[in-house]
Amino acid sequence: MPTFKDILKQDICNVFLNPDEFAEIRTVRYDGMEYPDIPVSLQELEATDRQRLSASGFGRGRTDGAPGLYQQNCVLFCAVSDLGGKIPKQGNSIQISTREGSIYFHRYSIGLVGNEMGMLRLELEAIGD
């Protein structure tokens, strides 16, 4: 009889990362490698105010000089096995295709990293080009 952990591992692929349920097929680039057509769940969070820089003399009122712009934050869920067993590191960058089969990518900085039973949870912040 399968254990709860066995059932949960099956559910990661069969439900949470199933393109017919919650996931989408995207290409991910990380650490010089490309992982094409893997199932991911990309959950966009509410836009937040841009961080204000405090460097003296930079921008009007010591802000970053871009009032009205917002950061795009999201959370990426994917299987560790789909990234070749690599667990991304906080502070590194990662690129995710805009949609399945697209040649266009969004670039993100990796914030928090979590690994629960083979499922990665990466909190990301968009990096402007």
Side-chain angles (χ1 to χ4, degrees), residues 1-57:
M1 179 175 219
T3 66
F4 175 73
K5 287 183 178 182
D6 294 332
I7 294 169
L8 189 57
K9 285 180 184 178
Q10 289 175 356
D11 283 350
I12 286 173
C13 293
N14 295 338
V15 178
F16 302 117
L17 295 177
N18 180 343
D20 293 328
E21 298 290 338
F22 298 107
E24 299 174 339
I25 300 298
R26 303 280 184 102
T27 296
V28 174
R29 294 176 180 162
Y30 176 73
D31 198 27
M33 298 293 294
E34 184 166 286
Y35 305 95
D37 303 327
I38 64 171
V40 303
S41 179
L42 193 62
Q43 307 294 317
E44 294 194 20
L45 303 176
E46 266 186 46
T48 59
D49 288 329
R50 267 174 82 114
Q51 283 184 318
R52 298 192 181 275
L53 301 178
S54 59
S56 189

Side-chain angles (χ1 to χ4, degrees), residues 44-103:
E44 294 194 20
L45 303 176
E46 266 186 46
T48 59
D49 288 329
R50 267 174 82 114
Q51 283 184 318
R52 298 192 181 275
L53 301 178
S54 59
S56 189
F58 184 78
R60 180 176 270 170
R62 293 174 33 152
T63 67
D64 66 0
L69 295 180
Y70 295 89
Q71 293 175 324
Q72 180 183 2
N73 296 315
C74 57
V75 178
L76 173 77
F77 295 94
C78 69
V80 173
S81 59
D82 287 335
L83 293 182
K86 288 185 181 179
I87 298 177
K89 298 199 182 326
Q90 184 177 8
N92 287 356
S93 65
I94 191 167
Q95 296 180 1
I96 304 167
S97 63
T98 57
R99 59 181 157 66
E100 183 176 359
S102 177
I103 61 170

